Amino acid sequence: MRPMVRLLLVLLFASLGAVDAVAADGDPHATDRQALIAIFHEMEAAINAQDVERMIAQMSPDVTVTWLNGEVSRGHDQVRAYYGKMVRGEQRILDRYLTAARIGAPARFFAEGTVAVADGTMVDQFFPVARGPFSLDSNWTTTLARIDGKWKVVSLHLSANVFTNSLMAEAKAALWWVAAGAGAAGVLLGLLIGWMRRRR
């Protein structure tokens, strides 16, 4: 057999072996995906346990988080400070914050598999100090990087529909009741004025 033909056959069989290895695994990033899903579940559990340190353990030291109210925290200390302001201490805004998160699609990998981007949805339950609880549907997007062999969250962005949500619906209902009350008061006032005129 000629050397060139032999070389081509070797390369062909090698490539087929590589394809079979990927096919057997089903996904060249399967191990990384398992690690990312573990982080996803740990973050969700940490939020529901009101445990900010457990959350921070999944984040890189220079993490950037954009919260639902539009505030941005950069680094572990600012994440702690935000969480303390929201759910700790006498001046807190919330007593509790619970979430049920879902992954929207498989993570996408970049930079030779060292960076991953994922997104999904959340059904959030808020328990404010100053009013009754309410629910809010929101979305999340996160970027993770493999740092020193471990996946860490380097960016997390949370957002909600500012035009259609439970708070907007509540505000519209309140306006309707205010308008209805004002209309009823106007009718009663008109009847009272008419009755007083007839008595003169």
Side-chain angles (χ1 to χ4, degrees):
M1 185 180 294
R2 293 181 180 179
M4 183 59 70
V5 174
R6 186 183 299 113
L7 177 60
L8 289 174
L9 287 174
V10 169
L11 291 175
L12 175 62
F13 287 130
S15 65
L16 288 175
V19 170
D20 288 340
V22 171
D25 200 1
D27 182 353
H29 300 293
T31 301
D32 291 319
R33 292 190 195 282
Q34 291 176 1
L36 298 182
I37 290 173
I39 291 174
F40 167 80
H41 288 304
E42 181 64 11
M43 289 285 287
E44 181 184 42
I47 291 171
N48 291 332
Q50 318 299 298
D51 189 340
V52 66
E53 294 303 323
R54 192 171 166 186
M55 291 168 51
I56 286 174
Q58 309 305 316
M59 299 175 172
S60 72
D62 57 352
V63 67
T64 297
V65 182
T66 301
W67 305 97
L68 278 172
N69 65 350
E71 288 191 47
V72 178
S73 298
R74 298 179 179 88
H76 289 179
D77 288 342
Q78 289 189 16
V79 171
R80 286 190 186 97
Y82 176 86
Y83 197 82
K85 177 180 69 174
M86 296 299 291
V87 298
R88 301 286 188 213
E90 295 182 358
Q91 302 300 317
R92 67 188 183 279
I93 296 173
L94 301 171
D95 282 328
R96 281 187 300 155
Y97 161 53
L98 303 177
T99 190
R102 296 184 63 181
I103 298 173
R108 291 167 292 151
F109 290 85
F110 304 92
E112 298 181 350
T114 61
V115 174
V117 177
D119 65 88
T121 58
M122 298 184 297
V123 178
D124 303 312
Q125 289 182 291
F126 298 92
F127 298 83
V129 173
R131 52 152 291 165
F134 65 92
S135 296
L136 188 67
D137 293 338
S138 57
N139 299 288
W140 60 269
T141 302
T142 187
T143 301
L144 304 97
R146 193 162 53 207
I147 302 171
D148 297 329
K150 294 183 178 180
W151 285 100
K152 294 291 182 180
V153 175
V154 297
S155 177
L156 176 63
H157 191 108
L158 309 176
S159 63
N161 188 333
V162 297
F163 301 108
T164 305
N165 59 60
S166 59
L167 293 179
M168 291 295 293
E170 184 179 298
K172 289 179 181 178
L175 287 174
W176 188 90
W177 283 109
V178 168
V187 170
L188 290 174
L189 181 61
L191 291 173
L192 178 61
I193 292 173
W195 177 77
M196 292 177 65
R197 286 177 175 173
R198 285 195 299 271
R199 292 202 58 183
R200 288 179 181 176

